[in-house]
Amino acid sequence: MNICFTADLTHQGIENNVNLFPLHQELKPAFMKEVDSHFTEFVNRLIAKSVLLESSTATSTFPVATCSERDLHKPKGLRAPPEHGKLFIARRSLLDELFEVNHIRTIYHMFIALLILFILSTLVVDFIDEGRLVLEFDLLVFAFGKFPVVVSTWLCMFLSTFILPYGLFLQWAQGHCCSSHRKIRSLFFGMLFMLFQSIGLGFGPTYVAVSYALPPASRFVIILEQVRLIMKAYSFIRENVPRVLSSAKEKSSTIPVPQVTQYLYFLFAPTLIYRDNYPRNPMIRWGYVATKFAQVIGSLFYAYYIFVRLCIPPFRNISQEPFNLRGLVLCIFNSILPGVLILFLVFFAFLHCWLNAFAEMLRFADRMFYKDWWNSTSYANYYRTWNVVVHDWLYYYAYRDFLWFFGKKFKAAAMLSVFAVSAAVHEYVLGVCFGYFYPVLFCLFMCFGMVFNFILNDRRKGPIWNVIMWTSLFLGQGVIICLYSQEWYAHQYCPLENPTFLDYVKPRSWDCHIQI
């Protein structure tokens, strides 16, 4: 009797659950929408309170760097103090949070499976062609060749950036209040700093990379570090000079000069915006650091197999074919897959793994090196979220300073100048590292990038705009891989004995057709 009664109740409960299931499905979207709105409101309030707390803390810590409400509305004057710029708070990287979801982690597993297939296909093809397993990794050995030169050059770059900007700023700050010729003295030290930036960090590493004929990957290490240290040194001077000027204007006895350890920490910290202090984590997870560095190494081998299987075979004999529209179109569409994979690898290896590894070792708590750029429905949002580290530097030191100097009416000109600077630096890096001038990326940035930035703006919402953004991004990666690869092999197969200036400017892949 009890068994029958229990079975009856169980059956009745199952029927009730079945009847409630459609109602549950109807209420679920509304419930999730309500939760999302409340959560967004809670986060906004939390950020607002954090800003107020940070401002009050900075005011009590650095009294000489504060400014009144009246000073903030001046059309020209000293730049706003650091607490009115970027706010650093403790937060995790977005991928670290997403990888805790099984569905997202499965996508990561799919990329690992694809790497395994690349390795197997390469081993099988080499075994069939050579009769043995070829594990020489000759492409990696070539790309990172002459590495002792890279290490010694980096040491000179780092030590000079550590000593000279801080020393120049210290000498200027200590004598600024007592000097009777402040403008001349400031101009003198400013010229010394600009000479160091242009010759010491600008010309020197480039000369080493070119004169020693370093291979591409080794050049990338030197040139990217060159750009990073230039931006770091500028940020340090740009953030601290207004504080000294404010101190001198208020005739304060305290000179707000950062400690040398604070500057040293900033040189290694994964940010380009200087602060005296950053939010710090209580401990270092060395297992997390080892995992991130292992993922960087895995990404290098991933890129190696992508080039070996998808890039080198079709481009190796590119000089045998005439340069025509049909071949160019086929080349672009065949390059989309390796281009997209390289894009994902650069993002994952550098913006996620490399920066998070250094952040963990330094206990740097603000891990927002990128945002959800993959959800962008506009190029304006994509440019803001793809690389937050560089975007912050361009926004605060290029865009906002441009508006501060010329006025808020010139927002379009400020945006155009930021695009021009970013495009020129990107093209400079590629030109030096590849050893030839072929401004494909510059044209994409300044032409299509600017057009898409205004057409696909923040008012574009909906899935269709995300599809358009991804389609154009994929196509752009195909154009970059195709044209730069063609030009690389053209320079290898068609060297010029006595090149003129026009030969350096004209792409060699346009008229390099030989039979090998």
Side-chain angles (χ1 to χ4, degrees):
M1 183 69 178
N2 291 335
I3 296 176
C4 295
F5 179 71
T6 304
D8 221 6
L9 286 177
T10 304
H11 180 69
Q12 183 179 358
I14 293 174
E15 287 184 350
N16 291 336
N17 289 337
V18 172
N19 293 331
L20 288 174
F21 186 75
L23 181 61
H24 165 263
Q25 292 296 323
E26 293 178 2
L27 293 177
K28 182 178 179 180
F31 174 75
M32 294 303 295
K33 185 177 181 180
E34 189 71 18
V35 170
D36 181 66
S37 63
H38 283 292
F39 180 74
T40 303
E41 183 180 359
F42 168 74
V43 171
N44 291 335
R45 290 179 179 177
L46 182 63
I47 292 177
K49 291 182 180 179
S50 299
V51 172
L52 294 176
L53 180 61
E54 181 72 14
S55 299
S56 62
T57 304
T59 303
S60 61
T61 306
F62 306 110
V64 297
T66 59
C67 59
S68 64
E69 190 70 22
R70 176 174 52 86
D71 295 331
L72 290 176
H73 295 284
K74 289 182 179 180
K76 282 191 179 182
L78 298 181
R79 184 171 177 264
E83 61 265 21
H84 296 281
K86 178 179 173 60
L87 176 66
F88 289 90
I89 60 176
R91 48 194 163 187
R92 299 174 62 193
S93 284
L94 187 55
L95 280 187
D96 283 340
E97 296 179 346
L98 291 177
F99 283 156
E100 294 180 355
V101 181
N102 290 332
H103 304 290
I104 304 299
R105 194 163 58 246
T106 300
I107 300 177
Y108 172 72
H109 296 161
M110 292 166 61
F111 276 90
I112 296 179
L114 185 59
L115 172 61
I116 295 173
L117 291 178
F118 273 132
I119 296 174
L120 289 177
S121 64
T122 304
L123 293 177
V124 170
V125 170
D126 289 341
F127 183 78
I128 294 175
D129 293 341
E130 305 289 337
R132 61 185 180 88
L133 295 178
V134 181
L135 297 173
E136 297 176 353
F137 301 108
D138 51 344
L139 181 61
L140 282 178
V141 174
F142 160 74
F144 288 95
K146 302 181 181 180
F147 211 70
V149 178
V150 176
V151 174
S152 58
T153 304
W154 181 86
L155 284 175
C156 293
M157 292 165 56
F158 177 80
L159 291 176
S160 61
T161 307
F162 174 60
I163 296 173
L164 291 180
Y166 185 84
L168 290 174
F169 173 76
L170 183 63
Q171 291 295 321
W172 170 81
Q174 289 178 344
H176 179 75
C177 296
C178 305
S179 176
S180 57
H181 304 283
R182 292 181 179 179
K183 292 184 178 180
I184 298 177
R185 194 170 186 276
S186 298
L187 181 62
F188 173 73
F189 278 94
M191 290 180 62
L192 289 180
F193 175 72
M194 295 306 297
L195 284 175
F196 166 72
Q197 291 278 81
S198 59
I199 298 177
L201 280 180
F203 176 77
T206 305
Y207 175 79
V208 171
V210 175
S211 62
Y212 280 87
L214 298 180
S218 297
R219 291 193 184 192
F220 268 107
V221 173
I222 290 180
I223 300 303
L224 291 179
E225 277 295 287
Q226 173 198 50
V227 174
R228 184 184 73 92
L229 292 175
I230 288 176
M231 297 168 77
K232 289 258 190 183
Y234 181 85
S235 175
F236 174 77
I237 298 297
R238 189 66 184 86
E239 292 289 341
N240 285 284
V241 165
R243 293 166 55 183
V244 176
L245 294 178
S246 298
S247 176
K249 186 177 181 180
E250 297 173 3
K251 298 180 180 180
S252 174
S253 59
T254 303
I255 302 177
V257 176
Q259 299 178 2
V260 66
T261 54
Q262 293 173 323
Y263 179 57
L264 180 61
Y265 181 89
F266 169 64
L267 289 180
F268 285 102
T271 180
L272 297 174
I273 306 295
Y274 175 81
R275 295 290 183 269
D276 287 331
N277 296 288
Y278 300 93
R280 306 282 289 274
N281 288 331
M283 59 179 294
I284 302 176
R285 299 170 296 172
W286 291 107
Y288 180 88
V289 175
T291 300
K292 294 306 170 188
F293 279 128
Q295 289 173 336
V296 171
I297 296 175
S299 299
L300 285 177
F301 282 99
Y302 210 138
Y304 166 79
Y305 283 108
I306 289 174
F307 280 106
V308 168
R309 301 304 306 160
L310 300 178
C311 293
I312 293 179
F315 290 110
R316 178 177 292 161
N317 300 323
I318 197 68
S319 58
Q320 298 182 9
E321 302 176 1
F323 188 86
N324 53 46
L325 182 60
R326 178 182 179 278
L328 179 63
V329 171
L330 291 177
C331 171
I332 290 175
F333 281 95
N334 290 333
S335 303
I336 288 178
L337 177 59
V340 171
L341 292 176
I342 293 297
L343 176 71
F344 290 157
L345 284 176
V346 169
F347 161 72
F348 180 74
F350 179 71
L351 292 176
H352 179 68
C353 298
W354 186 264
L355 294 183
N356 270 293
F358 273 87
E360 187 67 29
M361 289 189 295
L362 296 172
R363 297 193 293 115
F364 188 85
D366 193 341
R367 309 292 176 87
M368 195 182 69
F369 310 125
Y370 54 88
K371 298 180 183 177
D372 57 334
W373 57 270
W374 48 86
N375 291 326
S376 298
T377 56
S378 67
Y379 265 86
N381 185 70
Y382 169 75
Y383 291 139
R384 290 194 300 265
T385 56
W386 158 256
N387 188 342
V388 175
V389 178
V390 174
H391 171 267
D392 288 341
W393 193 94
L394 291 173
Y395 176 74
Y396 289 107
Y397 302 139
Y399 181 77
R400 276 181 51 169
D401 281 358
F402 187 97
L403 295 180
W404 167 78
F405 190 79
F406 292 101
K408 294 185 178 180
K409 297 180 180 179
F410 297 92
K411 289 186 177 181
M415 184 181 298
L416 181 62
S417 66
V418 171
F419 264 92
V421 170
S422 180
V425 172
H426 279 80
E427 192 57 46
Y428 160 75
V429 171
L430 292 181
V432 173
C433 294
F434 289 146
Y436 53 79
F437 176 75
Y438 198 16
V440 176
L441 189 61
F442 183 85
C443 294
L444 290 178
F445 247 103
M446 292 305 297
C447 297
F448 297 99
M450 282 294 296
V451 171
F452 284 137
N453 183 70
F454 286 104
I455 296 177
L456 298 180
N457 50 44
D458 290 331
R459 293 191 299 269
R460 308 299 183 184
K461 304 294 181 181
I464 184 62
W465 297 107
N466 185 249
V467 172
I468 294 175
M469 195 277 296
W470 274 110
T471 303
S472 58
L473 189 63
F474 285 176
L475 187 60
Q477 291 302 119
V479 171
I480 292 173
I481 293 294
C482 170
L483 295 184
Y484 279 109
S485 298
Q486 284 185 348
E487 189 68 12
W488 170 266
Y489 279 103
H491 277 257
Q492 304 303 313
Y493 292 143
C494 301
L496 300 179
E497 295 182 359
N498 298 311
T500 62
F501 176 77
L502 184 61
D503 293 327
Y504 285 110
V505 176
K506 181 182 178 182
R508 201 169 300 179
S509 57
W510 291 3
D511 54 6
C512 175
H513 315 302
I514 61 174
Q515 297 294 328
I516 300 189

